[in-house]
Amino acid sequence: ETGVTQTPRHLVMGMTNKKSLKCEQHLGHNAMYWYKQSAKKPLELMFVYNFKEQTENNSVPSRFSPECPNSSHLFLHLHTLQPEDSALYLCASSLAGGISSYNEQFFGPGTRLTVL
Amino acid sequence: ELKVEQNPLFLSMQEGKNYTIYCNYSTTSDRLYWYRQDPGKSLESLFVLLSNGAVKQEGRLMASLDTKARLSTLHITAAVHDLSATYFCAVSPNTGNQFYFGTGTSLTVIP
């Protein structure tokens, strides 16, 4: 496997279900990100992890719970979601290291989530 | 909150023509990124611009950054059908790890 991988690629869930999205990067990066991409809206940054520590949480509802057990893996745990949470969820990774950091992000293929 | 505005949102152009996509942002930043997204696919990094006056070119695409004007441009030269996609700019403030994306420009190149 190379680059950034995400599983599953498609997910349909009911509002009472609990599911998890998985992201894995094989690039030796130290920062990982979750984004939400909805139709007709800009890409929204949800969470950022640097060296496994969460550094950003952009007012995301608590029904989304991230987990970063190591620098290569990132999870997004989902529970009691709403239909408006249906979107493409993208994971990205980068090297991060301060003001002069290059910080170019590499994106995974995304998980298309539908909440019924 | 930093705002990133792209225009146009939709662009239909004939093959062989030139055009420019604009990206304006609202705060100090020396880090500007351009991405391409094909339908149903993820984002592909095109350019990373890290200083005022930076210019990068790849094939028929050229990106530039003017940090004083808070403006980046993506210029398309002699468009071909393969360039049809949605193009996003993104800005990261000089401190921290936040990224702010524009709404994207949907480009269609017509034969």
Side-chain angles (χ1 to χ4, degrees), chain A residues 9 31 33 35 37 42-43 45 48 50 55-56 58 88 90 96 98-99 101-105 107-110, chain B residues 31 33 35 37 40-48 50 56 88 92 94-103:
Chain A
R9 296 292 307 276
Y33 312 79
Y35 285 89
Q37 187 176 33
L43 208 62
L45 180 61
V48 181
N50 270 355
T55 59
E56 305 287 348
N58 287 346
L88 181 67
L90 292 164
I99 294 172
S101 168
Y102 194 50
N103 239 5
E104 181 183 12
Q105 294 184 317
F107 284 81
Chain B
R31 300 189 290 186
Y33 310 83
Y35 293 89
Q37 186 177 34
K41 299 288 182 66
S42 189
L43 276 75
E44 173 193 353
S45 178
L46 293 175
F47 300 108
V48 179
L50 297 176
K56 291 197 174 178
F88 293 92
S92 183
N94 287 346
T95 57
N97 242 3
Q98 283 283 3
F99 286 84
Y100 298 89
F101 278 75
T103 50

Side-chain angles (χ1 to χ4, degrees), chain A residues 62-79:
Chain A
S62 59
R63 57 185 183 269
F64 295 91
S65 174
E67 178 191 359
C68 188
N70 55 60
S71 294
S72 299
H73 293 85
L74 184 65
F75 295 90
L76 188 62
H77 304 299
L78 316 171
H79 65 97

Side-chain angles (χ1 to χ4, degrees), chain B:
Chain B
E1 179 179 309
L2 189 155
K3 293 192 186 301
V4 183
E5 294 183 348
Q6 274 182 252
N7 69 83
L9 297 184
F10 298 94
L11 175 57
S12 181
M13 57 190 296
Q14 286 187 308
E15 279 190 331
K17 298 292 187 182
N18 304 335
Y19 208 84
T20 300
I21 299 171
Y22 297 88
C23 175
N24 291 89
Y25 55 96
S26 64
T27 196
T28 302
S29 174
D30 294 332
R31 300 189 290 186
L32 193 292
Y33 310 83
W34 284 97
Y35 293 89
R36 168 182 172 147
Q37 186 177 34
D38 291 291
K41 299 288 182 66
S42 189
L43 276 75
E44 173 193 353
S45 178
L46 293 175
F47 300 108
V48 179
L49 303 168
L50 297 176
S51 62
N52 187 40
V55 177
K56 291 197 174 178
Q57 183 164 4
E58 180 73 34
R60 300 175 188 273
L61 300 178
M62 183 173 71
S64 66
L65 177 61
D66 181 344
T67 58
K68 294 179 181 178
R70 298 178 182 173
L71 171 69
S72 179
T73 61
L74 181 65
H75 187 72
I76 303 156
T77 302
V80 293
H81 180 68
D82 286 352
L83 292 179
S84 297
T86 299
Y87 293 85
F88 293 92
C89 65
V91 176
S92 183
N94 287 346
T95 57
N97 242 3
Q98 283 283 3
F99 286 84
Y100 298 89
F101 278 75
T103 50
T105 296
S106 177
L107 171 65
T108 303
V109 180
I110 304 167

Side-chain angles (χ1 to χ4, degrees), chain A residues 18-30:
Chain A
K18 289 185 181 181
K19 296 287 184 183
S20 295
L21 309 184
K22 179 182 175 182
C23 175
E24 185 172 358
Q25 60 94 2
H26 308 267
L27 300 169
H29 290 162
N30 52 18

